[in-house]
Amino acid sequence: ADAAERCAEVVRTQAEADAQALLQACHEALVRTRGAVMTVAWFDLERARLTWAGVGNVDARLVHHGPERREDVALVFGGVLGYRMPNVRPASMPLERGDLLVMITDGIDSAISPGLAGGGSAQTIADRVFTRHGKGGDDALALVVRYR
């Protein structure tokens, strides 16, 4: 919890920083802690683009809305902020109305595609993913954001 709060403070104070700088600042803030894993995502609403990057075992995917639903997966680099910081290369991709950003921690089984089917609000989908795919023996988080 202490490490997460330190990262949250860095994000609050440096929200405009690019991915590498933000993750590096979190890494430096966590050097004397247990460390943390982190995936960050930015929505550029003017250009309708998503940019993301991550360190550690946080699964992030963009589920494209439409008849040919497909998923793009974030490139997450191995490491732990505060311990071993990799060189991060953010990826960027276009957004379309109705796309879902889905992020899960390792307390959720990564085979979540069935939980994403069926529609509903972002909260309904997050609840369904958490209920159907939560492992039960680990802390877990499912975050779903719909691009409108």
Side-chain angles (χ1 to χ4, degrees):
D2 291 339
E5 184 52 41
R6 285 186 189 192
C7 272
E9 182 60 27
V10 170
V11 170
R12 282 190 288 273
T13 60
Q14 299 185 37
E16 298 300 318
D18 65 33
Q20 182 68 30
L22 185 60
L23 291 168
Q24 183 65 40
C26 287
H27 171 68
E28 291 167 8
L30 296 178
V31 168
R32 290 185 176 85
T33 71
R34 186 174 172 206
V37 298
M38 183 175 176
T39 296
V40 291
W42 291 264
F43 287 93
D44 181 336
L45 301 179
E46 291 177 10
R47 295 185 184 114
R49 293 194 69 78
L50 171 71
T51 302
W52 56 10
V55 174
N57 59 351
V58 178
D59 182 322
R61 59 188 80 187
L62 183 64
V63 181
H64 297 280
H65 182 72
E68 295 181 18
R69 195 185 98 193
R70 71 181 201 285
E71 297 179 16
D72 288 319
V73 179
L75 182 58
V76 178
F77 297 88
V80 175
L81 298 178
Y83 176 66
R84 190 182 83 220
M85 173 70 181
N87 185 22
V88 176
R89 293 182 309 268
S92 182
M93 63 199 55
L95 289 165
E96 296 176 19
R97 174 168 274 183
D99 287 353
L100 294 173
L101 170 64
V102 182
M103 301 171 93
I104 59 171
T105 61
D106 63 347
I108 306 256
D109 186 310
S110 63
I112 62 170
S113 291
L116 300 175
S121 69
Q123 184 63 56
T124 298
I125 295 167
D127 291 342
R128 190 166 52 237
V129 166
F130 189 86
T131 301
R132 291 184 185 176
H133 303 284
K135 294 179 181 175
D138 194 359
D139 58 332
L141 173 71
L143 172 99
V144 178
V145 177
R146 184 182 308 278
Y147 175 70
R148 295 182 177 257

